[in-house]
Amino acid sequence: MTDMQTEYRDGNDFIVEVIRTDRRKTADIRVEDGAVSIIVPRHIATEKIDQLLISKRKWIKEKILLQRDLSPTSHKEFLSGESFPYLGRNYRLKVEKGNFCPVKLVEGRLLVTVPLGSEQPHMIRNALVRWYKKQAQQKMHEKVKRFAPIVGVEPKGVEIKFFKSRWGSCTVNGKLEFNWMILMAPNRMVDYVVKHELCHLIHHDHSPEFWKEVARVMPDYQECREWLRVNGMKLRV
């Protein structure tokens, strides 16, 4: 698998993540949960990327606004001092003005640097979404690798997605999909979601046999299931 290089472009009211790769010969623009990315051939000129973004600006803005309307309700204002949970611990947001930089966890604070303007709160949210997704990519792969032998299964892959009303999914071809927002829950709840989906590789339903399998690998699963039922709607960016 070829390494991908990441950079960012200011799209004027939105930030675009540029992903250069040897595996593409054409450009592909994506808008996912309000965050814009463009996947391009490794050696394409930056000027060409900017031209593509200008030509697609109307379409990108329409997608961003549509997804903003569909995203879960959040009462955050995205101001310095607000707290955001990560694996059950709260971290304070620190906003700095400047050219966009990916979120960094520095001295217990989530540091985000974005341009000043009317779209700043949305840029901050998108920066946080990108950060949670990147953490989810790493953490969920690690947990699947650790727990799959305990469950006794071999998943076909792991993907991070946004689900409106569930934490994970197991596809018919054996791939596990996880909602990136689960990273806002305590670590034990994340473990439960991973084990839950791994058990679906044995029983692709919620039969008594499935729950017996979950109980075998996680005897206290009911506490985790109840915690998510009660607190899950609070896990929002």
Side-chain angles (χ1 to χ4, degrees):
M1 182 174 174
T2 306
D3 288 339
M4 293 189 293
Q5 297 176 348
T6 306
E7 61 197 75
Y8 298 89
R9 303 299 296 165
D10 189 341
N12 187 15
D13 290 343
F14 56 87
I15 299 298
V16 183
E17 182 177 24
V18 180
I19 303 171
R20 296 179 183 269
T21 174
D22 291 327
R23 288 173 291 164
R24 290 201 69 90
K25 294 183 178 178
T26 57
D28 180 20
I29 299 175
R30 299 176 184 177
V31 184
E32 297 172 322
D33 201 14
V36 186
S37 60
I38 180 169
I39 305 171
V40 295
R42 186 174 300 279
H43 300 296
I44 190 172
T46 302
E47 292 77 9
K48 178 69 173 175
I49 295 171
D50 288 341
Q51 289 170 9
L52 284 167
L53 294 173
I54 290 169
S55 69
K56 292 290 187 178
R57 177 177 166 75
K58 184 173 182 289
W59 176 83
I60 292 170
K61 288 288 287 182
E62 287 172 351
K63 292 281 282 186
I64 290 172
L65 292 171
L66 177 63
Q67 292 181 13
R68 194 177 292 172
D69 290 340
L70 294 174
S71 64
T73 302
S74 171
H75 301 292
K76 299 289 188 183
E77 295 182 56
F78 303 100
L79 300 172
S80 289
E82 278 187 312
S83 64
F84 290 83
Y86 172 58
L87 295 178
R89 180 183 169 187
N90 284 326
Y91 293 88
R92 295 285 178 184
L93 180 66
K94 185 178 181 182
V95 179
E96 293 187 350
K97 176 189 169 186
N99 293 330
F100 176 83
C101 289
V103 173
K104 298 173 185 172
L105 188 54
V106 181
E107 297 178 353
R109 290 180 178 270
L110 290 167
L111 175 64
V112 56
T113 306
V114 291
L116 193 62
S118 62
E119 289 294 306
Q120 190 187 52
H122 301 298
M123 288 187 180
I124 294 168
R125 181 185 183 273
N126 288 346
L128 288 165
V129 168
R130 293 182 203 275
W131 184 80
Y132 277 109
K133 283 183 174 180
K134 281 186 173 14
Q135 302 311 307
Q137 283 282 358
Q138 178 186 340
K139 292 291 182 184
M140 301 315 256
H141 276 87
E142 288 174 357
K143 288 179 182 293
V144 167
K145 186 176 180 180
R146 189 193 326 157
F147 295 139
I150 297 171
V151 178
V153 293
E154 291 185 19
K156 299 297 184 184
V158 177
E159 191 171 335
I160 305 304
K161 302 186 74 171
F162 166 69
F163 293 112
K164 197 164 185 178
S165 58
R166 55 181 170 171
W167 300 113
S169 175
C170 176
T171 69
V172 291
N173 61 2
K175 181 188 288 185
L176 304 185
E177 300 173 334
F178 296 104
N179 188 337
W180 59 265
M181 287 193 290
I182 191 60
L183 265 285
M184 304 179 82
N187 198 50
R188 189 67 176 159
M189 311 309 150
V190 184
D191 289 350
Y192 161 66
V193 169
V194 173
K195 291 177 180 178
H196 181 115
E197 297 308 329
L198 284 167
C199 287
H200 273 312
L201 293 170
I202 300 173
H203 299 285
H204 210 87
D205 54 27
H206 286 104
S207 62
E209 290 76 17
F210 166 78
W211 290 113
K212 283 180 187 174
E213 198 63 40
V214 176
R216 179 181 69 83
V217 295
M218 195 170 200
D220 65 341
Y221 81 87
Q222 288 180 321
E223 295 174 20
C224 300
R225 190 181 179 201
E226 180 64 11
W227 190 96
L228 286 170
R229 188 189 70 79
V230 173
N231 299 285
M233 292 302 292
K234 302 172 189 173
L235 305 179
R236 295 286 183 267
V237 176

